[in-house]
Amino acid sequence: MTRVYNFSAGPAVLPEPVLERARAEMLDWNGTGMSVMEMSHRGKAFVSIAAQAEQDLRDLLKVPDNYKVLFLQGGASGQFAAVPMNLLRGKKQVDYVNTGSWSKKAISEAKKYADVNVVATSEADNFTHIPAFDSWQCNGEAAYLHYTPNETIGGVEFHWVPETGDVPLVADMSSNILSRPIDVSRYGVIYAGAQKNIGPAGLTLVIVRDDLIGNPMPGLPSILDYKIQADADSMSNTPPTYGWYLAGLVFQWLKELGGLEAMEQINRRKAEKLYTAIDNSAFYHNPVEVSARSLMNVPFTLADAELDGLFLKEAEQAGLTTLKGHRSVGGMRASIYNAMPEAGVDALVEFMVDFEQRKA
Amino acid sequence: MTRVYNFSAGPAVLPEPVLERARAEMLDWNGTGMSVMEMSHRGKAFVSIAAQAEQDLRDLLKVPDNYKVLFLQGGASGQFAAVPMNLLRGKKQVDYVNTGSWSKKAISEAKKYADVNVVATSEADNFTHIPAFDSWQCNGEAAYLHYTPNETIGGVEFHWVPETGDVPLVADMSSNILSRPIDVSRYGVIYAGAQKNIGPAGLTLVIVRDDLIGNPMPGLPSILDYKIQADADSMSNTPPTYGWYLAGLVFQWLKELGGLEAMEQINRRKAEKLYTAIDNSAFYHNPVEVSARSLMNVPFTLADAELDGLFLKEAEQAGLTTLKGHRSVGGMRASIYNAMPEAGVDALVEFMVDFEQRKA
């Protein structure tokens, strides 16, 4: 068996020790004689797995006690509807920041439920920067302000947190959660699909402040109702048990690495290596303003787009896979989430240098 | 490692060959150098896994070409909302049959969206039979008629299909799908949470007739919109890829066993052994009318409820687990889905006979 370095934007690489442990426990978790997949979600074994995962996540993110942590289904796309349906509470207006494809999807879904005020957008510049906060046209009456701290397609990331006063701040952290420490108390709701930095697709994490729970819009499906799920410890219906278990293994792996402070250092080092390689070359180019560059998703183009196909083919042969950029940006994209080993970035940089020397 | 016989009602036992294959492929699927969990859902490898799973399911259930098969998130509970939101299409009235706990949950959620007419109920008899079809008070104007072919808690199952004429028939088949051949053309929508007869929790199967797709209720979250998901081959958002893969392995296992005709024979044999053991004893009792007994979930009580705890403890020691009945029925419940080997039922029957001889 040869493992590749998989730069997929999501679903994405998982830590190898996590996969190894899942493999070892596949037919028998901890002497129970069954797979975690086969356990009743209400049985003692799974309840202990679920509680441990939640506690480890709370430890990692230092989640304050007045926040609930929910393990749901439906992905971030489900939360695009769930956020307005849970948080409007009689209000009609909501604020959204548009910094890329995922912001746009969130906005599009929210428009079904609310009057969406786009307070700032970088679309005119093809999402290559983050609009300066003092240019935002915020609405003091908004039910919340929603933004996307990291955009996987454009490769732009907020390196600061908007200050929205009494308006609850809502963040789709699907692609950068757990990549560094955050101050949860700055947020009303944080949500994230699991398939980038948490675990397998099909699990969705929601961290929501107590006072924002309850009184949802009529017609909200129960599975997306924060109050129903919070009251039932995320088990108002059968949760995605295996994803929850795997997320727990990822949380343990992060703790063993030294937590999010340690992870941030590793992530900064990985990103710096890659951006330096790009910036030191006239052959490779990243279009994003330096202050807004993502530590998680690094898009880059070749000076000669005719070479894209060859680059991808040779990279694949070198065990560097899923590097094709999104069609809306073109070129390449290297997603270097938590689980991408530093050695993977080193191998990519080495390949890029070699390719440039041979082809440029 | 000792595997137990796990009689959980769901999440439930999976076929051991499926778990073994998943274990073998955990870090490297088919030479790709990555786990299925790590694959982009839009990449060639996962698209081939997804397409093969759909084709195998279509083969097993002989799904006609004018039906779409969707692989979604949210469980059957998600469909409790999705069904009315997709199928009302301007109508206000819907028909529901109440044969147990799951029917009641479906009814409760549907009431958010529609005027629910309960056409028949067996609640007065504690859900121990199926109301005769000629007693049903159907409404020719209903947008659809919903029923639950198998109720996991009461252990009652329809062994016939309601004839609803032009009113689309909708079935929550979570707990008996793939347990025997069915005529899909009799249904407008069939849905099922995966965690009993399909795969791990977090995957939801929806089989929907083409003419019922489109024109949903305003406010339907996109992830539950049949048209959006059908148009995107269930990938309008990231699907639960690992569950989809595991479901595919279960479908292959079923085909290798000889398909649903063979599965039905095995299931009938397993259920008959257990019901015969119960009926031949004055110590064990099953309350369900014989014609409505479930082949999947077999509740039974002991003549002396004081012995329940001892029965469960000794069963556990004998490697027979998760036999505690639901609190609303009491006693025991043996769920004997497709993946429960016949040897597991034999072992349970043997234990029951022995326990009775020693304790009755």
Side-chain angles (χ1 to χ4, degrees):
Chain A
M1 184 198 70
T2 312
R3 294 267 298 167
V4 295
Y5 290 120
N6 169 18
F7 295 91
S8 172
V13 58
L14 286 163
E16 203 162 297
V18 165
L19 292 174
E20 281 167 356
R21 174 122 175 238
R23 177 174 62 184
E25 295 177 341
M26 178 60 86
L27 278 92
D28 181 14
W29 184 82
N30 203 23
T32 56
M34 61 179 87
S35 177
V36 173
M37 279 182 228
E38 302 176 297
M39 291 177 180
S40 166
H41 54 300
R42 305 206 185 275
K44 210 171 5 175
F46 185 75
V47 167
S48 77
I49 289 169
Q52 186 66 52
E54 178 178 340
Q55 188 56 54
D56 286 338
L57 179 77
R58 284 184 173 274
D59 293 347
L60 285 165
L61 285 174
K62 299 187 173 60
V63 178
D65 287 345
N66 63 324
Y67 285 74
K68 290 285 188 298
V69 175
L70 308 178
F71 292 81
L72 305 181
Q73 298 184 50
S77 296
Q79 292 304 310
F80 294 167
V83 163
M85 295 188 92
N86 279 282
L87 299 190
L88 274 171
R89 304 167 115 189
K91 292 203 175 192
K92 295 214 174 335
Q93 301 186 28
V94 292
D95 281 354
Y96 277 70
V97 183
N98 181 12
T99 52
S101 293
W102 292 104
S103 300
K104 286 173 76 170
K105 289 189 187 194
I107 289 167
S108 165
E109 188 81 353
K111 283 183 175 170
K112 289 185 185 172
Y113 310 101
D115 296 336
V116 176
N117 171 35
V118 177
V119 303
T121 175
S122 51
E123 187 158 19
D125 302 312
N126 203 23
F127 302 122
T128 52
H129 73 281
I130 302 286
F133 186 59
D134 59 17
S135 73
W136 295 16
Q137 305 287 317
C138 295
N139 174 357
E141 292 305 303
Y144 57 86
L145 182 141
H146 179 282
Y147 81 120
T148 311
N150 185 68
E151 285 279 0
T152 58
I153 292 177
V156 291
E157 185 170 6
F158 280 78
H159 297 285
W160 46 278
V161 179
E163 175 48 61
T164 53
D166 288 341
V167 174
L169 183 63
V170 177
D172 172 5
M173 285 200 194
S174 297
S175 53
N176 70 350
I177 193 165
L178 296 171
S179 68
R180 62 171 96 164
I182 54 169
D183 180 357
V184 173
S185 74
R186 302 283 298 272
Y187 298 87
V189 175
I190 292 167
Y191 65 88
Q195 65 270 15
K196 297 163 200 293
N197 257 341
I198 299 173
L203 173 70
T204 317
L205 204 67
V206 179
I207 302 171
V208 50
R209 211 174 62 210
D210 279 345
D211 63 290
L212 298 173
I213 297 176
N215 192 19
M217 180 179 285
L220 172 63
S222 296
I223 59 161
L224 297 176
D225 186 318
Y226 296 161
K227 175 152 177 58
I228 288 174
Q229 292 287 11
D231 288 350
D233 293 329
S234 306
M235 296 193 191
S236 97
N237 63 318
T238 311
T241 50
Y242 198 66
W244 195 332
Y245 152 75
L246 285 163
L249 296 185
V250 170
F251 302 154
Q252 284 175 30
W253 172 78
L254 283 167
K255 284 181 117 175
E256 283 158 20
L257 271 182
L260 302 190
E261 291 78 5
M263 197 71 250
E264 177 174 15
Q265 297 208 358
I266 298 169
N267 284 329
R268 288 198 181 278
R269 214 158 52 218
K270 289 188 310 192
E272 189 174 320
K273 283 180 177 179
L274 194 43
Y275 284 115
T276 300
I278 292 166
D279 291 344
N280 283 349
S281 148
F283 184 69
Y284 300 108
H285 176 67
N286 170 282
V288 180
E289 194 174 273
V290 171
S291 67
R293 280 176 166 177
S294 169
L295 301 187
M296 298 284 104
N297 310 95
V298 183
F300 59 92
T301 52
L302 312 192
D304 179 1
E306 298 273 314
L307 291 171
D308 283 4
L310 188 65
F311 181 97
L312 288 167
K313 189 178 154 196
E314 292 193 2
E316 185 88 30
Q317 286 162 353
L320 308 165
T321 75
T322 333
L323 280 162
K324 193 172 172 22
H326 192 271
R327 63 187 176 282
S328 63
V329 173
M332 315 299 150
R333 174 176 47 170
S335 295
I336 51 174
Y337 301 117
N338 286 354
M340 170 57 65
E342 196 161 346
V345 174
D346 291 340
L348 174 59
V349 168
E350 194 182 334
F351 171 80
M352 287 167 68
V353 169
D354 178 63
F355 187 86
E356 178 179 356
Q357 282 170 352
R358 289 184 292 111
K359 305 293 174 187
Chain B
M1 184 197 72
T2 311
R3 294 267 297 167
V4 295
Y5 290 120
N6 169 17
F7 294 92
S8 172
V13 58
L14 285 163
E16 204 163 295
V18 165
L19 292 174
E20 281 167 355
R21 175 122 174 237
R23 178 174 61 184
E25 295 176 342
M26 178 60 86
L27 278 90
D28 181 15
W29 183 82
N30 203 22
T32 54
M34 60 179 86
S35 176
V36 173
M37 278 182 229
E38 301 176 299
M39 290 177 182
S40 166
H41 55 300
R42 305 205 187 275
K44 212 170 6 174
F46 185 75
V47 167
S48 77
I49 289 169
Q52 186 65 51
E54 178 177 341
Q55 189 55 55
D56 287 338
L57 179 78
R58 284 185 173 272
D59 294 346
L60 285 166
L61 285 174
K62 299 186 173 64
V63 178
D65 288 345
N66 63 323
Y67 285 74
K68 292 285 188 297
V69 175
L70 308 178
F71 293 80
L72 305 180
Q73 298 184 50
S77 296
Q79 292 303 310
F80 294 167
V83 163
M85 294 189 93
N86 279 282
L87 299 190
L88 274 171
R89 305 169 115 190
K91 292 201 175 193
K92 295 212 171 340
Q93 301 187 28
V94 292
D95 282 354
Y96 277 71
V97 183
N98 179 13
T99 53
S101 294
W102 292 104
S103 300
K104 285 172 77 170
K105 290 190 185 190
I107 288 167
S108 165
E109 187 81 354
K111 282 182 176 170
K112 289 185 185 172
Y113 310 100
D115 297 335
V116 176
N117 171 36
V118 177
V119 304
T121 175
S122 51
E123 187 157 18
D125 300 313
N126 203 24
F127 302 121
T128 52
H129 73 281
I130 303 286
F133 185 58
D134 59 15
S135 74
W136 293 17
Q137 305 285 318
C138 294
N139 173 355
E141 292 305 302
Y144 58 85
L145 182 141
H146 179 283
Y147 81 119
T148 311
N150 185 70
E151 286 278 0
T152 57
I153 293 177
V156 292
E157 185 169 8
F158 280 78
H159 296 287
W160 47 277
V161 179
E163 175 48 60
T164 52
D166 288 341
V167 174
L169 183 62
V170 177
D172 172 4
M173 285 200 194
S174 297
S175 53
N176 69 350
I177 195 166
L178 297 170
S179 68
R180 61 169 97 164
I182 54 168
D183 179 357
V184 172
S185 73
R186 301 284 298 274
Y187 297 88
V189 176
I190 293 168
Y191 65 89
Q195 65 270 18
K196 296 161 199 293
N197 257 339
I198 297 173
L203 173 70
T204 318
L205 204 67
V206 178
I207 303 170
V208 52
R209 211 172 62 209
D210 280 344
D211 63 290
L212 299 173
I213 297 175
N215 192 19
M217 179 179 283
L220 172 63
S222 295
I223 59 161
L224 296 176
D225 186 317
Y226 295 161
K227 177 153 176 55
I228 288 174
Q229 292 287 11
D231 287 350
D233 293 331
S234 306
M235 297 193 190
S236 96
N237 62 318
T238 311
T241 50
Y242 199 66
W244 195 332
Y245 152 75
L246 285 163
L249 295 185
V250 170
F251 302 154
Q252 284 175 31
W253 172 77
L254 283 167
K255 283 181 117 175
E256 283 158 19
L257 271 180
L260 302 190
E261 291 79 5
M263 196 73 249
E264 176 173 16
Q265 296 207 0
I266 298 168
N267 283 330
R268 288 198 181 280
R269 215 157 54 218
K270 289 188 309 194
E272 189 174 320
K273 281 180 176 176
L274 192 44
Y275 284 115
T276 300
I278 292 166
D279 290 344
N280 284 349
S281 147
F283 183 69
Y284 299 107
H285 175 67
N286 168 282
V288 179
E289 196 174 88
V290 170
S291 67
R293 282 176 165 176
S294 168
L295 300 187
M296 298 285 103
N297 310 94
V298 182
F300 59 93
T301 52
L302 313 192
D304 178 1
E306 298 273 314
L307 291 171
D308 283 4
L310 188 65
F311 181 96
L312 287 167
K313 187 177 158 197
E314 292 192 1
E316 186 88 30
Q317 286 161 353
L320 308 165
T321 74
T322 335
L323 279 161
K324 192 170 172 22
H326 192 271
R327 61 188 179 280
S328 63
V329 172
M332 314 299 151
R333 172 175 50 170
S335 295
I336 51 174
Y337 300 117
N338 287 353
M340 171 57 66
E342 196 161 346
V345 174
D346 292 341
L348 174 59
V349 167
E350 195 183 331
F351 171 80
M352 288 168 68
V353 169
D354 178 64
F355 187 87
E356 177 178 357
Q357 281 170 356
R358 288 185 291 111
K359 306 291 174 185

